[in-house]
Amino acid sequence: MKIISILGVSGSIGTQAIDVLRTHKDKFQLGAISVGRNIEFLEELLYEFNPPLVSVMNEADYNRLKQKYPKIEFTYGDKGLIDVATYRSDLLLTAVMGSVGLVPTLKAIENGVDIALANKETLVAAGSLVMQKAKKHNVKIIPVDSEHSAIYQCLNGEHLSEVKNIIITASGGSFRDLTRDELTTVTLKDALNHPNWSMGQKITIDSATMMNKGLEVIEAKHLFALEVPQIKTLLHRESIIHSMVEFVDNSMMAQIGNSDMRTAIQYAFSYPKRYWKNNPLDFDTISTLNFKPMDFERFKMLKFAYDALEIGGTMPAIMNAANEFAVAEFLKGKIEFLEIEEIVESRMNQHKVVQDPDLDTILYYDALYKRAEVNE
């Protein structure tokens, strides 16, 4: 029985992970969990799974819940995330959104807990530090993003020295068929209407801007130890081929399946084994698969990510923090859609890069570039 702890259990990835646990109760046991403000959902989980350790965001919820459920250990705040991350589990699913997942992930690695990584920002902001620490503590980092999971599966048993390129596919998001001129009138409701995937608000907006794909490019650099020119992106509107690997002999491997995050989540949980799952791909319903080169002029945020990766140092963390700030402002209705990329570009241009930053430096700039006003 494998014990699975979850950071961010009430989010899109977290709730789908719970579905996986329900399907395979004979193989997985829920360990420690963290939740934000969705206490109603949390209490349903307490009744169903009786987890041993629970972290909540607010002290008031912590005080109320520990009185109501005296047999469960409760904790809260930033310390609570670390408590969950360092719980004696076999695997930690990091499914919180944003750079808040960085420190708990590092603490889990230091405690020898393998990571199922669904938090892009951890590797974007501090990929070198995370991968170095994972190597030092002999900890597995198993990607949960469908694209990285696909590459991980294609590379299983292969030699990285024989990899020519990896190709990360992108659906194109909510606005894949719109010109830049047409983007000036899109609304928040439009942006949240993803054509293929059911995801949380922030990642859905990132998909619409193509920043999500940019974050995945940076993640791939750290996960698979590749050079930047080896990481390609390709528009594939059906989201059936989740990513591909091209080898030096020009042969290619692709991982294909339905647009269902539970497949990648279950693979991370069961690795190196595979378990039965519903919802198989029906080839009788697939008429065509479409591919299109990525247009960096149309999808400027993807170009920003490649630029940040080439510059290195603190620049990827600054790009990520600026994007988190801008997306939050868009979700609040304070800015227009295209202003997201304007804010990210402006803040990247403003930043004086620090090469080889330590964790404190990364966290300092991460907090600084999430503010409304930035003064270095």
Side-chain angles (χ1 to χ4, degrees):
M1 184 75 72
K2 186 180 287 189
I3 299 175
I4 310 289
S5 292
I6 302 175
L7 285 173
V9 73
S10 61
S12 175
I13 296 295
T15 54
Q16 291 178 85
I18 292 296
D19 286 343
V20 172
L21 296 185
R22 287 193 182 104
T23 303
H24 299 289
K25 288 184 177 180
D26 59 327
K27 296 178 174 67
F28 306 123
Q29 178 181 334
L30 184 62
I33 57 174
S34 79
V35 71
R37 297 185 178 89
N38 195 342
I39 303 303
E40 181 179 353
F41 174 72
L42 170 62
E43 294 200 70
E44 293 175 3
L45 290 185
L46 298 185
Y47 176 77
E48 181 178 0
F49 289 95
N50 192 33
L53 175 65
V54 176
S55 174
V56 293
M57 182 180 294
N58 300 318
E59 186 176 5
D61 290 327
Y62 159 76
N63 288 325
R64 182 177 64 81
L65 289 167
K66 72 175 183 177
Q67 294 295 326
K68 187 173 181 180
Y69 302 95
K71 294 184 179 180
I72 297 175
E73 182 181 355
F74 288 91
T75 181
Y76 71 95
D78 291 341
K79 177 184 177 298
L81 295 179
I82 294 173
D83 291 339
V84 170
T86 56
Y87 180 78
R88 56 185 185 281
S89 52
D90 297 299
L91 186 75
L92 172 71
L93 172 63
T94 60
V96 289
M97 293 302 301
S99 57
V100 68
L102 173 56
V103 172
T105 301
L106 288 170
K107 293 295 185 183
I109 292 170
E110 289 170 1
N111 278 266
V113 179
D114 288 337
I115 307 296
L117 188 68
N119 173 263
K120 292 179 173 64
E121 294 83 358
T122 290
L123 288 187
V124 171
S128 295
L129 292 176
V130 172
M131 298 310 291
Q132 288 169 12
K133 196 171 284 288
K135 183 177 181 181
K136 177 182 177 181
H137 293 277
N138 196 29
V139 163
K140 296 184 185 71
I141 306 290
I142 305 173
V144 169
D145 273 346
S146 61
E147 296 82 0
H148 298 110
S149 177
I151 296 165
Y152 194 82
Q153 293 177 58
C154 289
L155 289 176
N156 199 356
E158 302 291 338
H159 294 285
L160 280 176
S161 62
E162 297 176 350
V163 174
K164 182 178 179 181
N165 297 302
I166 62 171
I167 300 97
I168 300 174
T169 58
S171 69
S174 309
F175 305 135
R176 62 192 178 192
D177 297 320
L178 301 186
T179 65
R180 288 195 64 81
D181 287 341
E182 290 171 325
L183 291 176
T184 60
T185 60
V186 300
T187 67
L188 174 60
K189 182 179 179 181
D190 296 332
L192 291 173
N193 184 28
H194 195 284
N196 295 352
W197 296 92
S198 175
M199 305 179 293
Q201 287 190 335
K202 198 267 184 182
I203 194 172
T204 304
I205 301 303
D206 282 347
S207 180
T209 66
M210 205 58 73
M211 176 55 81
N212 189 52
K213 209 53 50 181
L215 299 178
E216 290 172 4
V217 166
I218 298 174
E219 272 191 289
K221 170 70 171 68
H222 297 294
L223 281 168
F224 306 113
L226 298 169
E227 298 301 320
V228 178
Q230 292 179 281
I231 307 170
K232 313 295 185 182
T233 49
L234 185 67
L235 204 61
H236 169 51
R237 60 189 304 124
E238 291 85 6
S239 295
I240 289 175
I241 295 179
H242 298 304
S243 278
M244 297 174 278
V245 176
E246 181 182 11
F247 295 93
V248 292
D249 62 357
N250 296 323
S251 63
M252 301 183 75
M253 288 190 186
Q255 191 269 339
I256 68 175
N258 282 315
S259 303
D260 187 342
M261 283 303 303
R262 290 171 295 185
T263 302
I265 294 167
Q266 180 174 297
Y267 183 76
F269 286 5
S270 64
Y271 178 84
K273 296 181 179 179
R274 293 180 185 270
Y275 296 145
W276 174 86
K277 181 182 176 298
N278 278 321
N279 193 25
L281 188 66
D282 183 3
F283 281 95
D284 292 339
T285 64
I286 301 172
S287 57
T288 58
L289 296 176
N290 294 280
F291 305 95
K292 186 177 179 181
M294 198 64 70
D295 183 349
F296 283 174
E297 287 300 317
R298 168 61 179 80
F299 299 112
K300 290 187 176 182
M301 294 282 260
L302 180 57
K303 179 63 165 58
F304 296 162
Y306 273 104
D307 291 343
L309 190 54
E310 290 281 9
I311 294 167
T314 48
M315 187 57 82
I318 267 58
M319 181 203 71
N320 177 69
N323 181 64
E324 284 192 36
F325 168 77
V327 171
E329 293 293 284
F330 178 65
L331 289 171
K332 295 173 188 173
K334 293 184 176 181
I335 63 172
E336 300 298 323
F337 180 75
L338 285 179
E339 289 182 88
I340 298 174
E341 67 183 39
E342 292 173 8
I343 289 172
V344 173
E345 183 175 26
S346 174
R347 295 191 173 200
M348 288 177 68
N349 289 337
Q350 174 184 344
H351 178 56
K352 300 178 182 68
V353 177
V354 178
Q355 294 294 344
D356 300 317
D358 59 16
L359 180 59
D360 288 340
T361 301
I362 291 169
L363 294 175
Y364 167 78
Y365 281 113
D366 175 73
L368 178 64
Y369 275 79
K370 287 177 184 172
R371 297 176 186 170
E373 300 294 333
V374 178
N375 294 298
E376 283 203 31

